[in-house]
Amino acid sequence: MNDGVTRDDADFESADRQARSSRRLASGLDRKSDTSGGRMGRVRVGGAGGAGGGWGTWGVGGVLLVVLVLVSFWPGMRFGFTYDDHPAILQNPTIERLSAMNAVLSPPAQTPVAGRPVVNLTLALNYAMHGHDPLGYHLFNLGVHVVSVLLVWSIVRRTLAWMASEHGRKNGWINGGMRRGMRGGVSGGVAGLWGVHPLQTETVVYATQRTELLFAMFLLLTMDAAGRVWNAKTSRQRAGWSVVAIVACAIGMGCKEVMLVTPVLMVLYHRAFVSEVGPAGEKSWGEKWRNTWQREWVLFVGLMLTGLVWLGLMWGAPRSGSVGWGHGVSMWDYLRMQAQAIAMYMRLAVWPMGLSIAHADPSVEPWWVWALPGAMIVMLLCVMVYAWARQPRVGFLLAWFFILLAPTSSFVPIVTEVVAERRMYLPLLAMVVAFVWLIRCHRADRTSWVIYGLVLAMCVGMTWVRLRDYRDEISLWASAVRVSPNSARALNGLGMAYGQAGEPAAAIEAFEQAIALRPNFFEAHNNLGVAYDHQGDAVRAIGHFEMALRSRDDDALTHENLGAVRYQLGEFDRAARHFGLALEYGVRRPGLVFNLATALDRAGRLDESLKYYEESVANRPGHAAWRAAYGTTLARLGRYVEAASQLRQVLAIDPGNAIARDNLAILESAQTKPQ
């Protein structure tokens, strides 16, 4: 008699019932242990780390990721400095004395490190160890990128471990692809592909862009520590990791302004992947959010309070010259530009051809150039809102992408650089997760590994090809001009590269082309003035310096350059005025202070010059020429004793200084004269 169930079927059903019973028992044990820790209803997966796997697995996987990233980016370590590296590193006196911590933590305003003291501190550490050798700076950047890759691996692995629990399966978005062994492959795949993507080259190799690297590392560290809080077994572990998360978030605020979105992302991450969600219909959408807040309000409030650090750093508007309204770009125009920029970022993430360190600013005419990408972005935002109600994990990926881009790619103009590939450094992670999920978790066979391997190899190869452009400054900026021939910033960078290479004629041509594209481009006017000055054409140099100041009258470097040309022409009063304005608007570099002292001296304003001479020799006590000039001015004022003291110190520094010896002899013979 056939009862409809064979022996094999019965065995299968029995095994399935036993497995379900085991899962219920395991879930009950997890909940019980969680209750003892004072946290009702939390599901822990994989121990305190929540990721599963032993130290051996972590060690091998970590070494493979590190090797992969190093192999991909090592060719770029030979690159020198370029563009923003000049004001941030080569012309930044605040990094030259690590012992002067107040100066180190107060970077110059209107520079790439303005309002970013943590970044300036790392540059000071590099300078203390390597001076101006670019290799040390690049190795630091690469090291930070490696740490971020490992943090991504840890975060994704822990997230997938939670999704693989019975609790996660109960709420969908899980399948057999989330077996314990596969979680390591998927998380490693995400970290590896994100780490070697060609779109990351600018951020990793461009020394000053450690601003993006450090902010991203501290955001990921905050996220990783928060995940460990939510999986902690004891109150001590919970408190310890909470402190790590909050401190990391606070430090990140000193790296880049975008860090302000971190608390929001942590709330969304907890809501999407960690918070208790019962069967469909058990709790309302609003109750789920309230439960998220009630469970984790201490950590969330701590993270939000780190915004006070951001507020303090931004209080003095250290970047007002490049960010905000009133610079000739309206909110509406910038928003239309960013619709095109975001569409381009997404294209470069999928097919990274046409990478450039300086893309041309998008046009806002005709209307369809921004309307089509704008409609696509609005559609994705609508999908994000809908997904938060139905599938929060999909919503989180879209929120991650748009929230991280929002501070730089929405309606607050950044007039000096409308489009920048480095802004995709962290948002790219959402697209990589989506790609790896699709090919691995929904096609869990060898074919998926083959597809992933081919894509990974292609990314490594394209990264190597892109790094060939970084062999020198001229190659880098020439490639930018090829990609974006209408980019004034690319032409300005190319002109700077030619100038550094000792090709003034080519530099002048590039600067003039940049100005033809953007007539009020103050940086190009300043650089063209420098080029004409080097050619001995003071009249044209002054003309372009003054045009630069009409566009931005608070630019310290332009005032300093104009003061130097005026000094050469013997216009000492006017030179002193511009040197003084350079000090007012910029940083008190010792060389600039001395130039102001000598200009006042030559203008006959000896009493005014003394305080600047005193400041100069105090800053550089071993500089014989500066001390000799100070001594000479003291002598001209009849202060012979003080003048003789300064000249003796000059001879102690430079015993062969014949002029100082002769002047000292004259002063010593006049010691009997009253002062």
Side-chain angles (χ1 to χ4, degrees):
M1 182 177 179
N2 187 354
D3 59 4
V5 179
T6 65
R7 179 177 178 84
D8 291 339
D9 291 332
D11 289 341
F12 177 84
E13 289 184 355
S14 175
D16 187 63
R17 284 194 299 273
Q18 184 178 357
R20 289 197 300 271
S21 177
S22 299
R23 287 197 297 268
R24 285 195 296 272
L25 177 59
S27 178
L29 289 174
D30 275 347
R31 293 171 189 271
K32 182 177 179 181
S33 63
D34 196 64
T35 302
S36 66
R39 306 245 352 130
M40 295 294 293
R42 173 177 291 131
V43 177
R44 297 191 188 91
V45 182
W55 283 107
T57 303
W58 277 95
V60 172
V63 168
L64 289 176
L65 284 173
V66 170
V67 170
L68 177 65
V69 174
L70 292 180
V71 167
S72 299
F73 287 98
W74 192 257
M77 296 301 99
R78 297 189 297 268
F79 186 61
F81 293 124
T82 189
Y83 214 82
D84 284 345
D85 293 336
H86 292 273
I89 300 173
L90 300 178
Q91 300 164 1
N92 182 1
T94 64
I95 69 172
E96 295 177 2
R97 292 176 59 195
L98 188 58
S99 59
M101 194 54 63
N102 286 339
V104 170
L105 297 180
S106 303
Q110 313 305 334
T111 66
V113 291
R116 299 165 179 177
V118 175
V119 177
N120 208 51
L121 175 60
T122 66
L123 294 174
L125 291 170
N126 269 133
Y127 184 84
M129 293 185 288
H130 315 290
H132 284 150
D133 182 2
L135 179 60
Y137 297 81
H138 293 316
L139 289 176
F140 180 92
N141 281 21
L142 183 57
V144 174
H145 182 57
V146 167
V147 172
S148 294
V149 169
L150 295 176
L151 286 169
V152 167
W153 184 37
S154 173
I155 292 166
V156 175
R157 191 180 179 101
R158 181 179 300 107
T159 304
L160 295 179
W162 183 86
M163 293 173 66
S165 68
E166 179 189 6
H167 183 73
R169 286 194 298 271
K170 180 174 63 176
N171 291 287
W173 269 88
I174 199 67
N175 56 31
M178 283 298 96
R179 296 187 303 271
R180 183 184 184 90
M182 183 174 292
R183 295 197 297 269
V186 171
S187 57
V190 169
L193 187 56
W194 177 77
V196 304
H197 197 285
L199 199 51
Q200 310 289 42
T201 51
E202 178 187 338
T203 311
V204 176
V205 181
Y206 194 165
T208 302
Q209 301 318 324
R210 65 177 57 184
T211 53
E212 196 81 31
L213 288 169
L214 287 167
F215 132 71
M217 183 186 74
F218 283 112
L219 187 152
L220 293 170
L221 180 57
T222 302
M223 194 173 188
D224 187 66
R228 295 176 188 275
V229 170
W230 299 327
N231 279 306
K233 291 182 177 180
T234 67
S235 58
R236 177 174 294 182
Q237 290 177 344
R238 182 175 177 76
W241 285 114
S242 294
V243 170
V244 172
I246 294 170
V247 170
C249 192
I251 296 174
M253 296 291 177
C255 297
K256 194 170 184 179
E257 297 75 15
V258 185
M259 190 73 183
L260 188 63
V261 306
T262 303
V264 176
L265 288 174
M266 295 307 101
V267 173
L268 297 179
Y269 177 67
H270 187 280
R271 168 64 186 86
F273 295 101
V274 184
S275 63
E276 183 80 16
V277 183
E282 182 178 328
K283 296 179 181 177
S284 70
W285 189 80
E287 287 176 323
K288 296 170 185 176
W289 280 103
R290 283 194 295 274
N291 289 340
T292 295
W293 179 257
Q294 289 170 0
R295 290 191 184 102
E296 307 299 341
W297 71 270
V298 175
L299 175 61
F300 292 152
V301 168
L303 293 175
M304 290 176 183
L305 287 176
T306 62
L308 295 175
V309 177
W310 180 92
L311 185 63
L313 293 172
M314 295 297 105
W315 190 258
R319 310 179 66 78
S320 59
S322 59
V323 180
W325 300 283
H327 296 292
V329 179
S330 69
M331 178 179 69
W332 175 234
D333 283 347
Y334 191 75
L335 189 62
R336 289 186 288 177
M337 291 178 183
Q338 289 311 305
Q340 300 169 70
I342 293 173
M344 186 193 72
Y345 295 153
M346 298 175 72
R347 175 185 65 80
L348 291 175
V350 175
W351 184 243
M353 294 295 290
L355 297 175
S356 172
I357 196 171
H359 290 276
D361 293 350
S363 173
V364 295
E365 297 293 344
W367 65 269
W368 53 264
V369 299
W370 57 266
L372 294 179
M376 178 194 70
I377 292 170
V378 170
M379 181 187 69
L380 288 174
L381 290 172
C382 292
V383 171
M384 179 186 73
V385 173
Y386 177 80
W388 269 110
R390 304 299 297 270
Q391 288 291 353
R393 292 157 195 169
V394 177
F396 178 77
L397 287 181
L398 288 167
W400 175 273
F401 182 84
F402 285 113
I403 289 175
L404 284 168
L405 283 175
T408 56
S409 303
S410 53
F411 54 84
V412 180
I414 303 176
V415 295
T416 52
E417 197 167 9
V418 175
V419 181
E421 292 172 4
R422 61 181 175 275
R423 294 172 189 162
M424 272 293 286
Y425 183 74
L426 267 184
L428 177 65
L429 185 57
M431 299 184 69
V432 172
V433 168
F435 170 74
V436 175
W437 177 273
L438 288 174
I439 68 165
R440 186 58 187 152
C441 298
H442 291 281
R443 190 177 179 87
D445 55 22
R446 293 182 179 178
T447 304
S448 64
W449 283 119
V450 172
I451 295 172
Y452 174 81
L454 290 174
V455 172
L456 183 68
M458 181 187 72
C459 283
V460 172
M462 295 179 78
T463 296
W464 284 345
V465 171
R466 174 58 177 155
L467 289 175
R468 292 178 58 189
D469 293 332
Y470 282 83
R471 61 185 179 271
D472 57 61
E473 273 199 276
I474 293 178
S475 298
L476 177 64
W477 291 101
S479 71
V481 173
R482 284 196 301 272
V483 172
S484 303
N486 292 324
S487 171
R489 186 169 178 271
L491 287 163
N492 184 51
L494 182 60
M496 291 176 65
Y498 279 130
Q500 293 291 325
E503 301 182 33
I508 289 173
E509 181 181 358
F511 292 139
E512 288 178 340
Q513 291 177 13
I515 291 170
L517 290 169
R518 194 195 301 179
N520 61 345
F521 191 5
F522 82 92
E523 291 180 352
H525 278 296
N526 174 73
N527 292 335
L528 184 54
V530 172
Y532 278 128
D533 181 34
H534 289 167
Q535 293 282 78
D537 193 339
V539 174
R540 288 189 178 182
I542 290 174
H544 283 285
F545 288 141
E546 290 179 341
M547 291 178 71
L549 291 175
R550 279 198 288 271
S551 298
R552 184 169 161 182
D553 62 359
D554 63 346
D555 186 64
L557 182 60
T558 305
H559 278 294
E560 183 177 359
N561 290 334
L562 181 54
V565 177
R566 296 288 188 192
Y567 185 93
Q568 293 168 14
L569 294 176
E571 301 174 4
F572 302 119
D573 271 317
R574 300 175 77 176
R577 175 179 172 273
H578 287 292
F579 287 144
L581 289 172
L583 280 180
E584 178 183 345
Y585 296 136
V587 66
R588 300 186 75 85
R589 291 190 303 103
L592 176 58
V593 174
F594 179 77
N595 288 342
L596 176 56
T598 55
L600 291 169
D601 188 346
R602 298 292 297 276
R605 297 154 65 180
L606 301 184
D607 290 327
E608 293 179 62
S609 71
L610 281 184
K611 67 176 182 178
Y612 296 108
Y613 277 130
E614 290 171 2
E615 184 178 343
S616 299
V617 298
N619 287 328
R620 296 284 174 81
H623 202 298
W626 290 5
R627 194 172 290 276
Y630 179 35
T632 301
T633 302
L634 287 169
R636 290 169 63 193
L637 287 170
R639 297 164 62 173
Y640 302 127
V641 174
E642 296 171 74
S645 174
Q646 293 299 323
L647 293 175
R648 290 189 188 97
Q649 293 182 60
V650 171
L651 292 174
I653 298 167
D654 181 14
N657 193 317
I659 296 177
R661 184 182 299 107
D662 293 342
N663 288 339
L664 180 60
I666 295 172
L667 287 174
E668 288 176 341
S669 67
Q671 287 296 308
T672 57
K673 295 181 181 181
Q675 295 191 30

